[in-house]
Amino acid sequence: KNEVEQSPQNLTAQEGEFITINCSYSVGISALHWLQQHPGGGIVSLFMLSSGKKKHGRLIATINIQEKHSSLHITASHPRDSAVYICAVGFTSGSRLTFGEGTQLTVNP
Amino acid sequence: GAVVSQHPSRVICKSGTSVKIECRSLDFQATTMFWYRQFPKQSLMLMATSNEGSKATYEQGVEKDKFLINHASLTLSTLTVTSAHPEDSSFYICSANSMGQETQYFGPGTRLLVL
């Protein structure tokens, strides 16, 4: 069983839809990261969370420490949001990350 | 935000040759660098953790004599794939952080194809 589980694995949406990607982890963490990987392969760090909620443009990330669960929301989705979204956790400060399997998001025009 | 670069972005080599991949932190001191490998449709897999000035710590199943890692300065780590074989073809990504910092900055990756 993976220590970090994401759902769904694949998600197809129409432009403008509200999107939610979920991430659950099994033990206490130091920080949780949401990453975006485009087809070319490069990875962009979207958020790093240890509590609460963060917002950047149309992206919102929340984390519930007690429930060991985080969500990434995209409002007013756009085809350029199509990418793989990866949840990663650090179990101790500054340490290696453990990655979820990723969610392939496709937003159709 | 902080920037991490990788060079080359893609490389094609013949089986049996060695390939060196560089990972540089451009505007911060990277006390720790991580090297990952990613096969198609799979998530990143950590290969090794490299701390500046010391030997890298390799993950189980990763051959340290095949994947040589050097982290001689606070801005540069190198991964050398020695005697490359077609099964080493993959996407190699580095990330870096500073001592005590949670945030990891990822490089753009290097796509290796071994013929």
Side-chain angles (χ1 to χ4, degrees), chain B residues 2-92:
Chain B
V3 178
V4 173
S5 70
Q6 279 185 242
H7 178 79
S9 59
R10 62 175 61 232
V11 56
I12 301 173
C13 69
K14 292 182 179 179
S15 185
T17 60
S18 294
V19 174
K20 180 185 284 188
I21 302 170
E22 293 184 349
C23 177
R24 291 182 187 273
S25 59
L26 299 184
D27 52 1
F28 69 102
Q29 293 187 328
T31 49
T32 304
M33 287 185 169
F34 303 88
W35 285 97
Y36 302 92
R37 181 168 52 184
Q38 185 181 35
F39 292 107
K41 304 292 186 184
Q42 294 186 24
S43 192
L44 285 76
M45 291 185 60
L46 181 66
M47 299 175 66
T49 301
S50 166
N51 292 298
E52 185 265 337
S54 60
K55 289 184 178 180
T57 301
Y58 289 80
E59 295 299 300
Q60 192 172 10
V62 178
E63 300 175 57
K64 62 180 180 181
D65 294 329
K66 180 168 180 62
F67 298 99
L68 300 178
I69 292 173
N70 182 281
H71 190 169
S73 79
L74 286 170
T75 59
L76 174 65
S77 176
T78 60
L79 167 67
T80 302
V81 183
T82 61
S83 186
H85 288 280
E87 57 265 30
D88 299 324
S89 299
S90 188
F91 190 59
Y92 293 86

Side-chain angles (χ1 to χ4, degrees), chain A residues 30-31 33 35 37 39-45 48 86 90 92-97 99-102 104, chain B residues 32 34 36 38 41-46 49 59 91 93 97-98 100-104 106-109 111:
Chain A
S30 177
H33 303 248
L35 310 170
Q37 186 174 30
I43 289 179
V44 174
S45 180
M48 186 184 68
I86 303 168
T92 56
S93 179
S95 69
R96 55 179 290 182
L97 297 179
F99 295 85
E101 295 291 325
Q104 172 69 63
Chain B
T32 304
F34 303 88
Y36 302 92
Q38 185 181 35
K41 304 292 186 184
Q42 294 186 24
S43 192
L44 285 76
M45 291 185 60
L46 181 66
T49 301
E59 295 299 300
F91 190 59
I93 305 172
N97 65 5
S98 293
Q101 299 298 311
E102 285 284 4
T103 303
Q104 284 195 27
F106 287 83
R111 194 163 300 281

Side-chain angles (χ1 to χ4, degrees), chain A residues 59-88:
Chain A
L59 302 178
I60 303 167
T62 64
I63 188 168
N64 185 315
I65 298 297
Q66 287 73 32
E67 295 186 3
K68 298 184 176 58
H69 179 268
S70 175
S71 293
L72 175 68
H73 306 285
I74 305 175
T75 61
S77 59
H78 191 275
R80 65 175 175 266
D81 297 326
S82 299
V84 176
Y85 291 84
I86 303 168
C87 170

Side-chain angles (χ1 to χ4, degrees), chain A residues 13 27 30 33-34 36 38 41 52 58 68 70 85 90 98:
Chain A
V27 297
S30 177
H33 303 248
W34 280 104
Q36 180 191 56
H38 277 283
R58 295 180 294 106
K68 298 184 176 58
S70 175
Y85 291 84
T98 299

